[in-house]
Amino acid sequence: MAIRAIRKFRWVEGLFCVYKPPGVHWKLVRDRIETCILEVRGPEFRRIKVGVGHRLDASSSGVLVIGVGRGNKPLNDLYQMCCTRDYTLEGEFGFATDNFSRTGRIVERSTYDHVTQDKLEKVLAMLQQANQKALLIHSNVDMRSQEAYEMAVTGELGPQGKSPPILTGLRVTGFQPPFFTLELQCLNETQRYLRKVVHEIGLELRSTASCTAVRRTRDGPFTVDQALTRGQWTAAQVALTIQHYNNSKRQSRPLPAPAAL
């Protein structure tokens, strides 16, 4: 029976990504994927290993990479890799909370009329410079060497082993006070850390700010355009997406979004 079950699931083993909605725990997403696969194979098949890569907390949304069956090994490889992730952060000036998000208890209110996009961009440039220094420190590479130069040019420069969260890119994409939007690339982050970044930006601007939304748009090679939305969490769509990813990987081409069923 065990051998038969393994063979039955080969058609749906591999890596793919889903779009996790805000307000939903990642465990519920994983369990839903597992259930939809098991339902197709029948009641005699009670279990298949479904793993989750870099997790998102309940309040966050966006790309969540999932491995099914034998896909858990490359999932773990992806988890251990030094690859950046992209996020979109929504912020609001004028108040600070005890958990850096709009759901927290308000601990301070302030004015923000003096904040301009130019001032915001200067603060981001300062943050990015500080994070660039941290990246160099944790890379364990001689910054005067040719190797360091070539790694920096190709984007391969990254921390060796454990390191604190590092922002590798940061820019303003929307500014309509009190609201603003940031796009960033980072390593070793948590969503709470990203909310704290928004909080600290408010302080640097002699104001206050809270993060109103965290959305991950890329995790390594997986982008939001490829992510299956809740209505696509079916065994057939999962199998199609995994097959598409495997074919694209073999051909070493960028991954376009798979066609919906």
Side-chain angles (χ1 to χ4, degrees), residues 19-53:
Y19 188 92
K20 189 193 87 65
V24 178
H25 198 285
W26 65 265
K27 289 183 179 179
L28 296 178
V29 176
R30 181 198 61 191
D31 292 348
R32 175 58 188 146
I33 297 297
E34 181 179 347
T35 299
C36 80
I37 295 173
L38 292 174
E39 286 176 347
V40 171
R41 302 321 303 168
E44 70 271 25
F45 303 105
R46 299 180 180 178
R47 184 171 180 79
I48 183 172
K49 187 175 182 180
V50 178
V52 174

Side-chain angles (χ1 to χ4, degrees), residues 156-176:
E156 297 176 357
L157 192 64
Q160 301 297 316
K162 292 184 178 181
S163 78
I166 296 176
L167 305 179
T168 60
L170 188 60
R171 69 188 183 101
V172 182
T173 58
F175 186 79
Q176 293 182 324

Side-chain angles (χ1 to χ4, degrees), residues 190-238:
T190 65
Q191 288 78 59
R192 177 177 172 81
Y193 168 77
L194 298 179
R195 296 186 186 99
K196 188 178 180 182
V197 168
V198 172
H199 170 80
E200 292 176 345
I201 287 172
L203 297 180
E204 289 291 339
L205 289 165
R206 301 184 182 278
S207 181
T208 52
S210 293
C211 186
T212 58
V214 176
R215 179 174 178 256
R216 185 157 66 201
T217 57
R218 182 182 62 83
D219 186 350
F222 294 91
T223 68
V224 69
D225 293 336
Q226 301 147 16
L228 300 181
T229 58
R230 183 179 291 182
Q232 297 174 307
W233 296 354
T234 65
Q237 186 68 64
V238 168

Side-chain angles (χ1 to χ4, degrees), residues 1-223:
M1 176 63 72
I3 295 176
R4 181 187 173 196
I6 291 172
R7 290 174 178 172
K8 285 286 188 179
F9 285 123
R10 285 285 167 84
W11 64 284
V12 76
E13 291 184 312
L15 287 179
F16 70 105
C17 66
V18 301
Y19 188 92
K20 189 193 87 65
V24 178
H25 198 285
W26 65 265
K27 289 183 179 179
L28 296 178
V29 176
R30 181 198 61 191
D31 292 348
R32 175 58 188 146
I33 297 297
E34 181 179 347
T35 299
C36 80
I37 295 173
L38 292 174
E39 286 176 347
V40 171
R41 302 321 303 168
E44 70 271 25
F45 303 105
R46 299 180 180 178
R47 184 171 180 79
I48 183 172
K49 187 175 182 180
V50 178
V52 174
H54 298 102
R55 297 166 183 172
L56 289 167
D57 62 26
S59 299
S60 304
S61 64
V63 176
L64 188 67
V65 182
I66 293 178
V68 180
R70 291 179 300 174
N72 280 275
K73 184 182 183 304
L75 178 68
N76 183 66
D77 293 340
L78 176 65
Y79 188 84
Q80 300 297 331
M81 285 175 57
C82 181
C83 59
T84 59
R85 286 167 289 283
D86 293 0
Y87 287 85
T88 297
L89 304 182
E90 302 287 342
E92 182 176 351
F93 292 116
F95 67 99
T97 69
D98 59 355
N99 67 357
F100 314 125
S101 76
R102 69 176 359 163
T103 63
R105 177 176 60 87
I106 295 178
V107 295
E108 184 180 357
R109 292 186 182 275
S110 65
T111 61
Y112 53 85
D113 294 344
H114 62 285
V115 177
T116 64
Q117 183 169 344
D118 182 60
K119 290 180 179 179
L120 174 57
E121 289 176 343
K122 287 181 179 178
V123 168
L124 298 190
M126 179 188 66
L127 282 175
Q128 192 160 347
Q129 184 177 20
N131 277 267
Q132 184 66 23
K133 289 181 180 179
L135 178 62
L136 298 178
I137 291 173
H138 291 282
S139 295
N140 293 330
V141 177
D142 184 355
M143 290 301 103
R144 296 167 296 180
S145 67
Q146 180 66 22
E147 178 189 12
Y149 172 78
E150 292 175 354
M151 291 176 68
V153 169
T154 59
E156 297 176 357
L157 192 64
Q160 301 297 316
K162 292 184 178 181
S163 78
I166 296 176
L167 305 179
T168 60
L170 188 60
R171 69 188 183 101
V172 182
T173 58
F175 186 79
Q176 293 182 324
F179 307 107
F180 61 97
T181 304
L182 308 177
E183 286 186 359
L184 56 85
Q185 295 78 45
C186 49
L187 294 161
N188 300 333
E189 82 292 343
T190 65
Q191 288 78 59
R192 177 177 172 81
Y193 168 77
L194 298 179
R195 296 186 186 99
K196 188 178 180 182
V197 168
V198 172
H199 170 80
E200 292 176 345
I201 287 172
L203 297 180
E204 289 291 339
L205 289 165
R206 301 184 182 278
S207 181
T208 52
S210 293
C211 186
T212 58
V214 176
R215 179 174 178 256
R216 185 157 66 201
T217 57
R218 182 182 62 83
D219 186 350
F222 294 91
T223 68

